[in-house]
C-alpha cells in the first residue's frame, strides 16, 4: 500500500512537470519594436582622432536592457557591419581604441573615412534604431625607433 502511494505520487509529479508549458519570449509586432534614438555623436559629425581623448556615444536607454552593441558600416544600409560591445550608455571610447577599430575597415593612418553607426540591443532582441553618418580622421602613425623598442 505504501509502495503504491509513493509510485502514484511520483507518477503525478512527473505528469505535472511534463505538462508545464515552456517559457515563451515576448514577441513584438513591427510597430511595437523598441526605438533607439542616437544622440552623440550627432549626424554628419567629423572627428579627428588626434585632437580628442575620447569619443562619446549616447542613445536612448531602454527599460530592462543592460547591454548594447554599437554597429559600424561603410554603407548607410549597414551591410558588412563591425560591432563592439557597449555595456554603458553613454559609452566612452578612447581615441586610440576607436582608431584601432576603424582600421579594421582598411582606412590608412591619417586618412579620412565616412562611416555609418547605429546601436542594437546585445543578443537577439530586435530594435529599431536610426543610423548616423560620421567621419573619422585616423591618428598619425607612431614609429618607435628600433633602439627604443629593444631597450624595453
Amino acid at each position: 500500500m505504501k509502495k503504491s502511494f509513493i509510485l502514484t505520487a511520483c507518477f503525478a509529479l512527473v505528469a505535472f512537470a511534463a505538462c508545464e508549458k515552456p517559457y515563451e519570449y515576448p514577441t513584438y509586432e513591427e510597430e511595437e519594436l523598441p526605438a533607439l534614438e542616437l544622440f552623440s555623436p550627432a549626424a554628419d559629425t567629423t572627428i579627428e582622432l588626434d585632437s580628442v581623448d575620447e569619443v562619446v556615444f549616447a542613445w536612448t536607454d531602454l527599460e530592462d536592457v543592460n547591454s548594447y552593441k554599437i554597429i559600424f558600416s561603410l554603407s548607410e544600409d549597414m551591410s558588412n557591419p563591425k560591432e563592439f560591445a557597449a555595456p554603458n550608455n553613454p559609452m566612452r571610447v578612447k581615441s586610440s581604441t576607436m582608431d584601432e577599430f576603424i582600421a579594421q575597415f582598411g582606412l590608412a593612418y591619417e586618412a579620412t573615412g565616412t562611416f555609418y553607426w547605429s546601436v542594437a540591443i546585445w543578443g537577439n532582441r530586435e530594435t529599431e534604431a536610426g543610423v548616423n553618418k560620421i567621419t573619422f580622421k585616423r591618428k598619425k602613425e607612431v614609429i618607435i625607433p628600433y633602439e627604443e623598442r629593444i631597450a624595453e
Side-chain angles (χ1 to χ4, degrees), residues 2 4 8-9 15 19 23 38 49 53 68 72 78 86 103 115-116 127 132 140 147:
K2 190 176 183 182
S4 173
T8 304
C19 293
Y23 177 76
L38 308 177
L49 292 172
D53 292 330
Y68 299 87
F72 283 85
M78 300 304 285
F115 298 87
Y116 296 87
T127 55
N132 279 359
K140 294 177 186 170
E147 294 78 19

Side-chain angles (χ1 to χ4, degrees), residues 38-113:
L38 308 177
F39 298 129
S40 173
D44 300 315
T45 299
T46 298
I47 298 174
E48 292 187 20
L49 292 172
D50 261 337
S51 63
V52 296
D53 292 330
E54 61 185 19
V55 180
V56 179
F57 294 90
W59 55 91
T60 309
D61 241 348
L62 296 178
E63 196 173 313
D64 299 329
V65 175
N66 58 10
S67 192
Y68 299 87
K69 56 187 171 184
I70 301 176
I71 306 166
F72 283 85
S73 177
L74 293 173
S75 59
E76 194 170 7
D77 67 2
M78 300 304 285
S79 57
N80 300 315
K82 297 192 185 306
E83 58 189 48
F84 60 85
N88 305 312
N89 182 15
M91 178 71 181
R92 298 178 181 282
V93 181
K94 290 182 180 180
S95 61
S96 57
T97 303
M98 195 75 233
D99 190 63
E100 290 171 14
F101 179 77
I102 62 174
Q104 296 177 41
F105 288 95
L107 192 63
Y109 286 108
E110 297 186 66
T112 301

